[in-house]
Amino acid sequence: MVMKETFDVTGMTCAACSTRVEQAVSELAGVEEASVNLLKNSLMVRYKDGSNTGAQDIISAVDKAGYQAALHSGFNGDDVAQFDPDNTGRNNQQDAGSTTNNIAMQQYNDLRKRLIVSFIFAIPLFYLAMAHMFGLPVPERFVGPEGALPFALTQLLLIIPIVGINFAYFRVGFKTLFRGNPNMDSLIAIGTSAAIIYGTYAIYRLAFATSAGDLEQIHRFAMDIYFESAGTILALVTLGKFFEARAKLKTTNAITSLMDLAPKTACVLRDDSEVVVPIEEVVPGELLVVKSGEAVPLDGVIVEGACTIDESVITGESMPVEKVEGDGVVGATMLHSGYMTMRVTRVGNETTLARIIQLVDEATSSKAPIASMADRLSGVFVPIVIALAVLTTGAWLIAGYGIEFALSMGICVLVISCPCALGLATPTAIMVGTGKGATHGVLIKSARALETAHHVDTVVLDKTGTITEGKPAVTDVVPLHSPDDTDQPLLSTDELLTAAGSMERFTEHPLGQAIVAHARERDLKLARMVTDFEQHAGAGISAGIDGHAYLAGNLRLLQQNAISIHTTVTVPAPLVDDTVEDSSLETTVTLVELRDHLATQGKTPLFFARDRKLIGMIALADAVKKTSQEAIARLHDMGLEVTMVTGDNNTTAQAIGKAVGVDNIVSDVLPHDKDTIVQRLQQDGKKVAMVGDGINDAPALARADVGIAIGAGTDVALDSADIVLMKSELLDVVNAIRLSTDTVRNIKQNLFWALAYNVAAIPIAAGVFYPAFGLKLTPMIAALAMSLSSIFVVSNALRLRFFKPLEAQEVLESQEVDDAR
């Protein structure tokens, strides 16, 4: 039997850390998989039960690697009973979300404090050290030979709090370095330590020179104080980590948001009485009563009644679904109209909502194949630089030069090859790229997403709310009557819409509300007096207006009122034949044929009758967004394959999919199916971006290499996604991928420069050309060169500010010009 345990791990700061933790745990006997998630600071381990490895062994292995681990306090999805003996799953799932969120909040608050303190002291430190180079004023006490020592000591006092508040870099960096696994913290610690150590040495020499009155030495060592370099590096790195912590905090809210969807109570039938009890007390087999406007408490089957249920929170389908006796219902969905008694079939961790929660938790805990280029390079770069610095110092000592000369050359190697440029190469580009995206409504929540999006070759689009508007709208208003009703005059479009709107304004059904909204858009005056209004669950409504009995609903309602659904009606030919464009042409079809024709176009028809005689039909559909087709075409131009997934039936799905030009269409999809589709594509070697907006999309968004949520969607989808499109425009999917490509290209340019600069500068700093040409550097010049390298990297990253995204308005205007031609 394979066991699975989840651990909270602290002390990890980069990909090198997670790799080391995974390696340390993987070496234990019986461990089949060890996966670290840096966003959640979690470690998931699968190991064989009965082996000599247990939770304590795993914790010890992590500790030996230089980090700290503890068992996660939330539930374990593979062994719920271990943590949840009552099998309700509710409280433990909440703990899982809240514990992770508390850790992320603690890290965020800690980094915010460090950031504030760092900049409070780094700004005056940098000004004091560099003001004279730019001709800026400084206090007279810090000028000239007399002010050299106060000048240096003041910088020392300013660097102390910066180092103190950021001492974690040194603790973790040197610990991993001494254990043979240097990471980005090691680079930061070595570079800043080299500058601080030499600066401290320079202060002593300055003090000696001052007491001796040696003006030449005073001037020399007054310029050899490099505390500002150390302080600036620490402040900027902390700024980058602060933004990373903020993204982590938002990401960890997904599970908690999902839990909030579950109803807290249920109305249970006990001893022929309705009793409201906490949801945890309900057991399978009990009968629940659910009324209009209430949420379905748990999964079950209808045993009495009929109703219309909005399942969009689970299936993503915008159109409410009619339910009758014997049909299954899902917990957390909303009963729009009608009444039902249901028998509970699943509770706790077995419900559909709980399964979605488990999928999100597992997906966010799984290992994303991210390779940080900077960390891979630093693993080789740091040991080489340290070795070169030691060799340089030793070589000059052996050559007979003094210890001061040799030490100066060794420090030059460390300072000029300071990791500042290498460390800034990635975060600066990411910061500018994410900032640029945010200003145009593309919110990129993590560097991982930005780095990964440019690898995407397959885009999976949820239909409802992503390709379409996500709400029904009137598409056709068709007055009609059957041939044997020639004595009844044909109503005008406005007359039909007025009658329909007058009835529908008394219902909360989304289709009815869409008709009312359409009537008001046309400034139609709806009837004030409507009598005998009645809702017919699963069929439609009836009401009296001006002495006439009206019906509005589906074909079932017509049958119930002795109106034949096989009668023929005359309709405009384009309504049932896409090849006909002339709206003046007419054709005859039966009502059943009309319904089926409209279904192939993704439309839902509502039929209207007056005094049991047919008077018209109004078709509604979840309209395709105006820019969806253009966005999908742009994705194709980028060489991406586009798949549409939807909970709709195949007929509706095919109609919409073909209209927008997607490559693949998958219909009748359940929530866990979307997650499975993403996994299947990944197993085929695809890099997948999932785009959606509903709760049902959350597991797939978390599972995908890049999850992209439409901004108008649920908070759960937004929290589970890596990228959020604030303007709900599918064109922004194109913008996000383009921005990712440009940013990654910029990062590679920065990394190349940082490495090329070091390869060229280190030989000069080591004094290779000193014997022949007298060419050597002082630590001051080396620090300046390092600073210029950093300036180049930052300047190159700032070029991303000129990124120009595609705008929906521009695309629409272009389409209008093309249509005019």
Side-chain angles (χ1 to χ4, degrees):
M1 177 181 176
V2 177
M3 301 289 290
K4 187 182 83 170
E5 298 281 10
T6 303
F7 299 83
D8 296 320
V9 182
T10 57
M12 298 186 299
T13 58
C14 67
C17 301
S18 62
T19 300
R20 177 55 187 156
V21 170
E22 290 173 353
Q23 289 175 346
V25 175
S26 297
E27 292 172 357
L28 296 174
V31 173
E32 294 189 350
E33 179 186 0
S35 178
V36 168
N37 186 298
L38 274 175
L39 280 177
K40 296 174 67 179
N41 293 300
S42 66
L43 165 68
M44 187 278 293
V45 183
R46 293 184 185 272
Y47 60 95
K48 293 180 180 179
D49 187 23
S51 65
N52 295 327
T53 297
Q56 192 56 48
D57 299 305
I58 295 170
I59 292 173
S60 298
V62 174
D63 183 66
K64 290 178 181 178
Y67 308 92
Q68 297 78 46
L71 270 172
H72 186 57
S73 59
F75 79 101
N76 188 315
D78 288 353
D79 191 9
V80 176
Q82 179 179 354
F83 300 98
D84 184 16
D86 296 328
N87 200 35
T88 63
R90 179 175 175 76
N91 293 331
N92 287 313
Q93 292 174 30
Q94 287 179 322
D95 290 342
S98 61
T99 301
T100 302
N101 193 65
N102 289 338
I103 294 173
M105 177 63 76
Q106 183 179 353
Q107 291 179 338
Y108 173 80
N109 290 333
D110 177 62
L111 280 165
R112 182 173 60 180
K113 180 179 68 175
R114 287 167 55 182
L115 180 67
I116 293 172
V117 173
S118 296
F119 273 94
I120 286 176
F121 291 95
I123 292 173
L125 172 61
F126 185 82
Y127 181 88
L128 180 62
M130 305 300 291
H132 64 281
M133 297 182 64
F134 299 100
L136 298 174
V138 293
E140 290 185 5
R141 293 180 181 272
F142 297 140
V143 179
E146 299 81 5
L149 193 56
F151 174 76
L153 291 175
T154 302
Q155 292 184 57
L156 176 61
L157 291 175
L158 289 171
I159 192 65
I160 289 174
I162 300 175
V163 172
I165 198 70
N166 293 298
F167 194 72
Y169 295 136
F170 299 88
R171 185 179 65 252
V172 176
F174 284 119
K175 181 188 290 186
T176 55
L177 177 65
F178 295 148
R179 296 190 181 189
N181 299 285
N183 61 2
M184 289 299 290
D185 280 355
S186 301
L187 293 173
I188 297 165
I190 293 173
T192 53
S193 295
I196 292 170
I197 290 171
Y198 188 82
T200 304
Y201 166 75
I203 287 178
Y204 276 96
R205 291 302 305 269
L206 181 61
F208 297 148
T210 301
S211 63
D214 188 340
L215 295 180
E216 181 182 349
Q217 292 296 310
I218 290 174
H219 177 75
R220 172 188 170 188
F221 285 106
M223 296 297 101
D224 282 357
I225 309 298
Y226 305 116
F227 294 142
E228 81 283 354
S229 296
T232 303
I233 292 169
L234 291 172
L236 290 177
V237 170
T238 303
L239 177 64
K241 288 188 175 293
F242 169 77
F243 285 118
E244 178 184 341
R246 189 168 63 175
K248 286 184 180 181
L249 183 62
K250 185 66 176 176
T251 303
T252 55
N253 290 332
I255 296 175
T256 305
S257 300
L258 278 170
M259 287 308 308
D260 290 340
L261 292 170
K264 308 299 185 290
T265 60
C267 183
V268 186
L269 277 179
R270 291 178 178 171
D271 299 326
D272 296 327
S273 299
E274 296 181 7
V275 182
V276 178
V277 301
I279 200 74
E280 293 86 353
E281 296 181 10
V282 180
V283 297
E286 285 197 286
L287 297 179
L288 305 183
V289 175
V290 187
K291 302 173 184 177
S292 178
E294 296 180 348
V296 178
L298 296 162
D299 294 2
V301 176
I302 298 176
V303 296
E304 181 183 348
C307 56
T308 301
I309 293 181
D310 178 3
E311 295 184 334
S312 59
V313 295
I314 298 296
T315 65
E317 173 51 52
S318 58
M319 298 293 184
V321 180
E322 298 168 358
K323 299 283 186 177
V324 296
E325 184 176 331
D327 289 341
V329 292
V330 179
T333 57
M334 182 64 66
L335 195 150
H336 262 295
S337 61
Y339 170 95
M340 73 171 180
T341 301
M342 59 171 285
R343 177 176 286 106
V344 176
T345 57
R346 291 194 294 267
V347 299
N349 287 316
E350 297 178 354
T351 65
T352 301
L353 180 62
R355 288 169 61 198
I356 293 177
I357 294 171
Q358 183 176 346
L359 285 172
V360 172
D361 187 51
E362 289 182 352
T364 55
S365 298
S366 63
K367 177 68 176 178
I370 310 167
S372 174
M373 192 178 301
D375 280 318
R376 291 203 310 269
L377 294 173
S378 66
V380 179
F381 180 71
V382 174
I384 292 176
V385 168
I386 295 173
L388 287 174
V390 172
L391 288 173
T392 298
T393 304
W396 287 113
L397 286 173
I398 294 172
Y401 289 81
I403 187 170
E404 183 178 321
F405 182 91
L407 185 60
S408 174
M409 301 299 273
I411 292 177
C412 274
V413 172
L414 284 174
V415 173
I416 204 165
S417 58
C418 177
C420 191
L422 184 59
L424 288 173
T426 298
T428 50
I430 288 173
M431 187 178 300
V432 177
T434 54
K436 186 65 177 179
T439 59
H440 290 281
V442 179
L443 180 61
I444 302 171
K445 294 169 59 179
S446 70
R448 181 197 71 83
L450 195 61
E451 291 177 344
T452 306
H454 86 290
H455 289 301
V456 166
D457 53 27
T458 301
V459 179
V460 178
L461 303 175
D462 177 56
K463 187 215 76 174
T464 305
T466 302
I467 294 176
T468 64
E469 295 291 351
K471 56 184 179 181
V474 173
T475 60
D476 303 279
V477 180
V478 184
L480 48 81
H481 56 65
S482 56
D484 56 354
D485 289 333
T486 53
D487 59 321
Q488 175 178 295
L490 194 67
L491 271 64
S492 70
T493 298
D494 284 351
E495 288 174 333
L496 173 59
L497 194 55
T498 299
S502 299
M503 298 173 62
E504 296 289 0
R505 66 191 177 97
F506 293 96
T507 178
E508 296 179 355
H509 196 289
L511 297 180
Q513 292 298 307
I515 291 174
V516 174
H518 189 69
R520 286 174 175 167
E521 287 175 2
R522 295 173 63 93
D523 294 326
L524 298 179
K525 187 176 181 180
L526 304 183
R528 299 183 62 182
M529 292 296 296
V530 176
T531 60
D532 301 323
F533 177 83
E534 184 178 355
Q535 297 190 50
H536 304 272
I541 60 175
S542 60
I545 303 176
D546 295 334
H548 295 283
Y550 283 85
L551 299 172
N554 56 25
L555 294 184
R556 183 186 306 168
L557 182 65
L558 298 185
Q559 285 182 306
Q560 292 173 356
N561 287 272
I563 300 175
S564 174
I565 63 174
H566 297 290
T567 188
T568 59
V569 292
T570 302
V571 298
L575 189 65
V576 295
D577 190 346
D578 294 336
T579 62
V580 178
E581 297 182 359
D582 189 350
S583 58
S584 64
L585 298 178
E586 295 182 335
T587 187
T588 57
V589 292
T590 67
L591 296 183
V592 173
E593 290 172 339
L594 177 59
R595 178 197 63 188
D596 293 342
H597 278 301
L598 292 173
T600 63
Q601 302 171 30
K603 299 178 181 179
T604 299
L606 291 182
F607 296 95
F608 295 84
R610 183 174 61 189
D611 299 330
R612 297 198 175 186
K613 292 186 177 182
L614 198 64
I615 59 172
M617 181 277 301
I618 296 179
L620 303 97
D622 185 4
V624 173
K625 294 178 181 178
K626 295 180 179 179
T627 58
S628 291
Q629 185 175 2
E630 177 66 19
I632 292 170
R634 295 295 182 106
L635 291 173
H636 286 151
D637 291 342
M638 298 168 66
L640 304 180
E641 181 178 314
V642 182
T643 296
M644 184 187 80
V645 296
T646 177
D648 286 348
N649 60 66
N650 186 60
T651 301
T652 301
Q654 289 290 334
I656 294 176
K658 290 178 180 178
V660 296
V662 298
D663 300 300
N664 305 299
I665 301 169
V666 185
S667 60
D668 300 302
V669 174
L670 297 176
H672 59 275
D673 291 334
K674 294 182 181 180
D675 182 68
T676 303
I677 290 168
V678 171
Q679 288 188 70
R680 189 184 306 126
L681 289 168
Q682 290 173 328
Q683 290 168 359
D684 291 339
K686 302 287 188 180
K687 285 289 185 180
V688 182
M690 172 69 196
V691 186
D693 74 325
I695 293 168
N696 63 297
D697 302 321
L701 288 171
R703 178 78 64 183
D705 296 287
V706 179
I708 303 177
I710 294 293
T714 64
D715 290 338
V716 176
L718 305 190
D719 290 338
S720 298
D722 301 299
I723 300 175
V724 177
L725 309 183
M726 304 301 292
K727 293 184 292 189
S728 298
E729 285 288 348
L730 197 54
L731 273 174
D732 282 340
V733 175
V734 180
N735 290 331
I737 296 174
R738 287 178 56 230
L739 181 60
S740 170
T741 301
D742 288 357
T743 303
V744 171
R745 183 187 301 116
N746 191 281
I747 289 172
K748 291 179 179 179
Q749 292 169 351
N750 287 346
L751 289 171
F752 173 80
W753 164 257
L755 283 176
Y757 152 80
N758 279 285
V759 169
I762 287 175
I764 299 175
V768 171
F769 304 106
Y770 180 71
F773 305 102
L775 178 61
K776 80 177 189 70
L777 302 178
T778 65
M780 177 65 184
I781 296 176
L784 180 59
M786 178 272 294
S787 299
L788 290 174
S789 176
S790 301
I791 291 172
F792 177 88
V793 167
V794 173
S795 299
N796 186 53
L798 290 175
R799 293 191 306 110
L800 290 170
R801 293 184 302 174
F802 301 106
F803 173 83
K804 183 174 176 58
L806 296 171
E807 296 290 350
Q809 187 61 39
E810 294 177 3
V811 170
L812 292 175
E813 290 176 356
S814 176
Q815 289 176 346
E816 290 176 1
V817 171
D818 291 341
D819 292 341
R821 291 176 179 175

